[in-house]
Amino acid sequence: MIIPGADKKNFRIKFQITLVSLIVVILCLSSFSILFAVLSISKTVSTRKAEQLFAQTGNRVEAQLSQQLDRAVQLSRLFSTLPQLTDPIEGDGTASQLLSFMGTALKSAPNLYSLYTGTGDGRFLQFIHVAGDANIKKAHQAPESTTFILRSISFAKESQHPETETTSHAIPAKTEYWTFYDDQMKIIGSRSKRQPDYNPAERIWFLKADAAKGQVTLTEPYLFDSLKAPGITASVKAFDDCAIGVDITLKNLKTFLETIHISQGTGLMITDEKDRILAATARMEKRLGIENASLKKMGSLPLGQTGPDSLLETEKGEMIWNHRWKNPGGNNYRLIIVTPVSDVTGHLAVMKKRIIVTTLCLIVLVFPFAVIGCRRLSRFLEILALDAGRIEKFDFEHDIPEHSLILEFEQLANAFRLMKQTVSERTKTLETTMEKLKRIITLSITMSVERDSDRLLELILKGAKELSNADGGSLYLKSDEDTLDFKIVLTDSNGIAQGGTSGQPVTLPSVPLYDKNHTPNHKNIVSYAVLTGKTVAIDDVYRQKHFKFTGTRKFDQMNNYKSRSFLTVPLTVQGSEVIGALQLINAISPETGEIVPFSPEIQGLVEALSAEAAAVLHKRNLHEAQKQLFEALIRLIADAIDIKSPYTGRHCARVPQLALMLAREVENCDHGALASFSFDSEDDRRAFEIGAWLHDAGKMTTPEFVVDKAVKLETIYNRIHEVRTRFEVLLRDVWLEEKQTLLKGGDPIDAATTRKEKERQLKEEFALVAQCNIGSENMPEAVTEKLHQIAKRTWTSYFDKSLGLSIEEKKRFDRAYEASIPATENLLSDKPEHIIPFSIRPQDIYRECNFNIPETDCLYNRGELYNLCVQKGTLTEEERFKINEHIMQTSIMLNHLPFPKHLKGVPDYAVTHHETLNGTGYPCGLSASQLSVPSRIMAIADIFEALTATDRPYKKAKTLSNAVAVLYEFKKSRHIDPDLFDLFLTSGVYLTYAKQYLPPEQIDAVDIEQFLG
């Protein structure tokens, strides 16, 4: 632009001055605006950041304490269920069956101090975990090598004692025993004390457990009697006069607080609802002027408002953070953080000074160069903008064609050139990294769905080798014996593949984590990584001196190999638990093919993969442990039902075996109506197996005297003895009649003949009654009529039967009997007191269950004639209903259990084995269309096992051929599935089962052809 009358040079200078002034003004305004904005919000931002950090710290501390307390609560709940708690505590307690559980529990939870149980009469058994703590050893005067301490308080007779003289009188005495164990559970010392003053029934944990009535409680922090150190106890009442406790010391809490770093001047402490200090950092103790602060009052400290989370700034220049929470046990706790305000906002003054200095320097530098470079500024900036546009499109081919005389702009141009080169290289690296990240994600997805353990381990190692381009590698898992076991070993260049899916066993020995003295093995790189939880990268194993590579050198010699670079990554799950290690050997450069060190980028990717792999393996281990526990509980229930009655033998255990045998044959069947059947999944097959194990779960509610009823008159005992006594009375009456006849001058011969005839008749009648008492398959009608005739016989009772009765018996007793003594009674009778009514009618219990089993009029009818006239077996209709009720109880029990989705079929598989194809079964009377193939399999398995069982009280076990014949009759009446029955025979399942579970004399020949079709 040219202005008339103006000198061209002067015009140029004015334009530059204007432009520079504008730049300076804009720069000043921008800088001071930024300075004002930064200073105005920095304090707020810093305070908020501090609050966030305090809140995160509070949540960590709350989670840490809650985790310890929850573990103690769960352990106390499990401890209270042990049946061994009912065993009395005797002597020094070393023979107690509880020690195994206590030792295992303490080893698995290092934060626990001790487990114990006490009774109201003063008996006490405590197992203490020393865990190398010198304070515990000192408090209990324990030997140096002590690992566990057993404390027992029991009652025994006076005897010679290590600390007392021999007494002459044997009187009950209370003695406290201390027994010391090493880490191998060998006794290394003991001592005892007479008449100790410790009484568990007076301790707070016992009193709280007693008041909680079966609920787990947590005490307030208190001083442990034996340790004289503060802690918290989880306690619960195990039974009427016994309570158990789990102790947690506060030592680990203080150690945990010391690991939390917020700033150099920050102090932390935890208090209870009484403002007693549970744990405090050294700086907080110094701030309060308190040494060894546990359970001491925290003193005066301004805490501000009483909300769950609150921040207060004091006049002393401190920020005090309050975090309150309530533990599930009911105790209130508070975390207090005290931080100097200068630690939070002290950087603001430095930042303010730096911004001002930087702004002034920038103005001084920009001003002269702006004057000189204004003419080229616009064009040069346009060139840079064009180049930036090319970079945005990832075009790195063109260069900046011009150079600037202004140093800063030339530097900017050079920076652009360097940036293009760097961005180009980084883009390529990023693309490579993205591919590796995609590979990690793909591997994570594949690992999460892989069910085969060997294939999963192989995926992990091969994925890590692929990410790092390593030639070889190994995967170790930690064992219960504190060793690291090789699970898979791969070396590509030598073609070595052991473990995993290779089919070749791993020949390398395990790596011990500790030596014989239980000293950590830090000489081996793998054990070091696992013990410390740190990743170890070594560039050349033959040049390093920290680790011993004896095994590596031996491997190299045997396989003509050269190990050089190593990368060992611990497999760490959430919570810092290390379950194994991943080791990679010899990273190969893709460009040169040479062995190179593992780069930090590769280390980060492998660590990410290892973390995911550890999580998957840990989840797999937990799932497998949960599955094993669940299956063990199922078998425990089945075994308990079988053990409950000797007459059901191993029914609950044998039926699943037979059902699974037949189910496998059905799935293998490729023709006929069953060809299309197969379980939907392995989970569905497992649900069927679980249903088979639990098919009689309801029998745990069936009274034993009903299940075990071997004869018709049996209740809790066999009432045939009462009937025999009445016959004895009648027999003696016959003898008395003979004597009276003789005294009256009667004919001795006639009297003897009459007596013998009556005696014979009584014996025959009692024999008939006794025979009827034994259940049979079918009792003739003539026998029933004869029983009624025998029942009309009378005898005279002279004693009051209302005496000595229970409350329930008195309610049913006929009061009219008392006024008629002596009373004439029938030899066999059905009396009102024999009727036991329902306390709650079944129709009220099963109102919403859609069961169709006919209900009886009463709970039990114990009438003598009524029971003896049972036509088949030994059970009355009422008792048969009670027996059949087990399937209804099974249905209710299993339908109330929260089975996961893949096990939802368990209740249906378990409760339909008494249903029939013709709709006459129970409990719901289902038709054939409503019964699945697994339900029909269960019906055959249940019936066949019952037919061949040798432990039924009222019938003889059937031979194999007879049992098949009975099943054939069920087939013809459509009680069971005909196709399944035919497959049961043609597949040979019946014979396979018989050979495994029946005695040889019960197995006879079976012509299956007559039963087919």
Side-chain angles (χ1 to χ4, degrees), residues 422-644:
T422 303
V423 170
S424 177
E425 293 174 355
R426 292 287 182 177
T427 301
K428 294 179 181 178
T429 303
L430 181 60
E431 289 175 352
T432 303
T433 303
M434 287 297 295
E435 290 298 322
K436 292 183 180 293
L437 288 175
K438 289 180 181 178
R439 179 56 180 160
I440 290 178
I441 294 173
T442 303
L443 281 171
S444 298
I445 296 173
T446 306
M447 287 189 297
S448 65
V449 299
E450 180 58 58
R451 294 192 174 189
D452 184 81
S453 297
D454 291 335
R455 193 179 301 277
L456 174 61
L457 297 175
E458 196 168 274
L459 276 172
I460 295 170
L461 182 56
K462 285 186 175 180
K465 285 174 74 280
E466 181 180 341
L467 285 175
S468 60
N469 203 31
D471 180 55
S474 305
L475 192 147
Y476 305 77
L477 290 182
K478 188 177 179 181
S479 71
D480 294 336
E481 290 75 26
D482 283 336
T483 61
L484 292 173
D485 298 337
F486 284 90
K487 293 300 180 181
I488 181 170
V489 178
L490 298 175
T491 305
D492 294 343
S493 59
N494 281 9
I496 296 176
Q498 296 179 356
T501 61
S502 66
Q504 298 295 324
V506 179
T507 59
L508 299 176
S510 300
V511 178
L513 289 173
Y514 302 94
D515 61 16
K516 295 180 179 180
N517 298 323
H518 205 68
T519 302
N521 179 13
H522 286 170
K523 292 300 182 181
N524 187 289
I525 186 173
V526 180
S527 59
Y528 175 84
V530 170
L531 289 170
T532 62
K534 298 178 181 179
T535 298
V536 182
I538 295 179
D539 296 343
D540 191 339
V541 298
Y542 285 91
R543 294 184 179 180
Q544 64 81 40
K545 298 181 179 180
H546 182 74
F547 299 104
K548 289 184 178 179
F549 280 91
T550 305
T552 300
R553 291 186 173 90
K554 184 176 181 181
F555 177 86
D556 289 353
Q557 293 174 0
M558 293 177 60
N559 297 279
N560 193 24
Y561 192 71
K562 180 65 174 180
S563 299
R564 182 172 297 171
S565 58
F566 270 66
L567 178 62
T568 306
V569 182
L571 297 175
T572 307
V573 298
Q574 186 177 6
S576 300
E577 179 185 355
V578 181
I579 63 173
L582 181 65
Q583 188 174 77
L584 301 174
I585 304 174
N586 288 354
I588 306 298
S589 171
E591 292 80 13
T592 65
E594 297 293 327
I595 299 175
V596 296
F598 290 91
S599 66
E601 293 80 6
I602 290 299
Q603 179 176 327
L605 293 173
V606 174
E607 286 176 340
L609 177 62
S610 298
E612 179 64 25
V616 172
L617 289 172
H618 185 61
K619 180 181 177 182
R620 175 68 55 83
N621 293 339
L622 290 178
H623 181 269
E624 187 62 29
Q626 211 172 39
K627 179 180 176 182
Q628 292 175 2
L629 176 61
F630 179 60
E631 292 180 350
L633 287 173
I634 291 171
R635 284 165 173 74
L636 178 67
I637 293 172
D639 290 343
I641 295 170
D642 284 339
I643 294 172
K644 177 181 178 182

Side-chain angles (χ1 to χ4, degrees), residues 214 273 316 325 434 493 731 775 836 929:
E273 56 191 6
K316 296 181 178 181
W325 74 91
M434 287 297 295
S493 59
L731 180 60
I836 301 177
S929 61

Side-chain angles (χ1 to χ4, degrees), residues 234-510:
S235 61
V236 64
K237 199 69 176 290
F239 52 88
D240 289 343
D241 197 34
C242 174
I244 64 99
V246 179
D247 282 344
I248 306 173
T249 62
L250 300 180
K251 172 187 173 183
N252 291 333
L253 203 55
K254 175 178 174 63
T255 303
F256 175 72
L257 290 182
E258 293 288 1
T259 63
I260 300 174
H261 178 75
I262 297 176
S263 71
Q264 291 296 328
T266 300
L268 301 91
M269 70 176 174
I270 301 174
T271 66
D272 62 6
E273 56 191 6
K274 295 181 179 179
D275 289 337
R276 296 182 302 171
I277 300 174
L278 304 186
T281 61
R283 183 166 293 278
M284 179 60 83
E285 290 180 340
K286 182 178 180 181
R287 163 68 175 79
L288 297 175
I290 301 175
E291 294 183 0
N292 192 16
S294 294
L295 293 187
K296 294 181 180 179
K297 286 288 187 177
M298 71 175 182
S300 60
L301 191 67
L303 299 178
Q305 57 184 343
T306 59
D309 288 314
S310 60
L311 181 67
L312 173 69
E313 286 192 28
T314 66
E315 296 178 355
K316 296 181 178 181
E318 293 179 330
M319 300 177 73
I320 300 179
W321 175 262
N322 260 319
H323 174 69
R324 298 173 180 270
W325 74 91
K326 187 172 184 178
N327 190 268
N331 297 329
N332 292 308
Y333 299 98
R334 175 167 58 188
L335 171 68
I336 300 173
I337 303 175
V338 179
T339 299
V341 174
S342 60
D343 285 4
V344 178
T345 62
H347 65 285
L348 295 180
V350 176
M351 182 173 63
K352 176 180 177 181
K353 181 178 179 181
R354 289 179 178 177
I355 291 176
I356 293 174
V357 171
T358 302
T359 301
L360 294 176
C361 291
L362 187 61
I363 292 173
V364 172
L365 290 174
V366 168
F367 185 81
F369 288 101
V371 173
I372 297 172
C374 281
R375 272 191 291 176
R376 300 189 60 183
L377 179 62
S378 297
R379 175 162 176 76
F380 198 76
L381 289 178
E382 288 178 1
I383 294 173
L384 291 179
L386 290 173
D387 200 49
R390 288 192 291 268
I391 293 174
E392 183 181 3
K393 297 177 182 179
F394 293 94
D395 180 6
F396 306 109
E397 298 298 329
H398 300 85
D399 199 1
I400 301 174
E402 296 186 13
H403 294 274
S404 174
L405 295 176
I406 302 173
L407 178 60
E408 286 77 1
F409 283 100
E410 182 61 24
Q411 291 176 342
L412 181 61
N414 292 331
F416 256 76
R417 296 184 186 97
L418 181 60
M419 180 183 68
K420 284 200 301 182
Q421 180 182 354
T422 303
V423 170
S424 177
E425 293 174 355
R426 292 287 182 177
T427 301
K428 294 179 181 178
T429 303
L430 181 60
E431 289 175 352
T432 303
T433 303
M434 287 297 295
E435 290 298 322
K436 292 183 180 293
L437 288 175
K438 289 180 181 178
R439 179 56 180 160
I440 290 178
I441 294 173
T442 303
L443 281 171
S444 298
I445 296 173
T446 306
M447 287 189 297
S448 65
V449 299
E450 180 58 58
R451 294 192 174 189
D452 184 81
S453 297
D454 291 335
R455 193 179 301 277
L456 174 61
L457 297 175
E458 196 168 274
L459 276 172
I460 295 170
L461 182 56
K462 285 186 175 180
K465 285 174 74 280
E466 181 180 341
L467 285 175
S468 60
N469 203 31
D471 180 55
S474 305
L475 192 147
Y476 305 77
L477 290 182
K478 188 177 179 181
S479 71
D480 294 336
E481 290 75 26
D482 283 336
T483 61
L484 292 173
D485 298 337
F486 284 90
K487 293 300 180 181
I488 181 170
V489 178
L490 298 175
T491 305
D492 294 343
S493 59
N494 281 9
I496 296 176
Q498 296 179 356
T501 61
S502 66
Q504 298 295 324
V506 179
T507 59
L508 299 176
S510 300

Side-chain angles (χ1 to χ4, degrees), residues 680-717:
D680 295 335
S681 63
E682 188 61 34
D683 289 333
D684 193 27
R685 183 180 291 103
R686 183 165 175 254
F688 172 72
E689 182 179 0
I690 293 172
W693 277 98
L694 296 176
H695 78 284
D696 274 348
K699 281 187 177 178
M700 67 177 65
T701 66
T702 307
E704 289 185 42
F705 71 86
V706 176
V707 178
D708 295 351
K709 189 177 182 185
V711 293
K712 296 179 181 179
L713 289 178
E714 183 176 354
T715 53
I716 302 299
Y717 69 100

